[in-house]
Amino acid sequence: MTDNVIVFPGFKRDDAPPQNLDEIHDKVTQTRKDHVTAVMNDMIPDIINMFGAYGVDINDDKYVKDVALVMESIKGLLHRQYNLEHPFHNMSDTLFEFRYNEDNSIEYTYNLPDEE
């Protein structure tokens, strides 16, 4: 009775919906990462133009690492928003302390290691 059954190859189309919870989680994670990338690609030119409008010459080689720090910090913020890991999370969690003032403004301080 089973000799007339055709077995198809076990492949999955790229656009096939997720088949289990792990695949759903992976798809959601990838969608979040893609969104962060899209937001960064949209924001970076505006941020760079704003610096230029205020007279900051970010094309000068001495600012390249500072600009990279700002961009990665924003990326870290977006990653935290979507529960994605980013290397800057540990740094910001360790480096800064904050508190709310009576007027609900936020005051932050650096938590720098003691110098010897």
Side-chain angles (χ1 to χ4, degrees):
M1 183 83 165
T2 60
D3 44 327
N4 65 350
V5 175
I6 299 173
V7 178
F8 288 94
F11 69 91
K12 183 176 173 186
R13 294 180 20 205
D14 289 338
D15 60 345
Q19 301 299 307
N20 56 50
L21 286 177
D22 288 337
E23 287 183 13
I24 291 170
H25 181 267
D26 292 346
K27 181 71 172 170
V28 168
T29 298
Q30 188 58 52
T31 300
R32 288 175 176 175
K33 288 178 180 180
D34 292 346
H35 179 71
V36 168
T37 300
V39 169
M40 290 301 295
N41 288 340
D42 192 41
M43 289 178 65
I44 288 171
D46 292 337
I47 293 169
I48 289 172
N49 287 333
M50 285 177 59
F51 280 128
Y54 286 106
V56 178
D57 182 12
I58 61 166
N59 292 318
D60 190 327
D61 286 348
K62 66 183 177 184
Y63 298 119
V64 171
K65 290 182 180 180
D66 296 327
V67 172
L69 180 70
V70 169
M71 297 305 160
E72 283 302 311
S73 295
I74 294 170
K75 193 184 296 182
L77 179 149
L78 293 169
H79 274 72
R80 192 182 305 261
Q81 172 70 34
Y82 295 112
N83 296 317
L84 300 170
E85 292 183 19
H86 191 277
F88 274 35
H89 292 164
N90 186 43
M91 181 180 67
S92 62
D93 291 343
T94 304
L95 185 61
F96 297 105
E97 292 184 14
F98 75 94
R99 68 183 178 107
Y100 290 99
N101 296 319
E102 290 179 11
D103 63 356
N104 281 338
S105 62
I106 297 175
E107 182 177 325
Y108 68 90
T109 57
Y110 301 111
N111 188 17
L112 298 175
D114 294 331
E115 292 185 29
E116 296 180 20

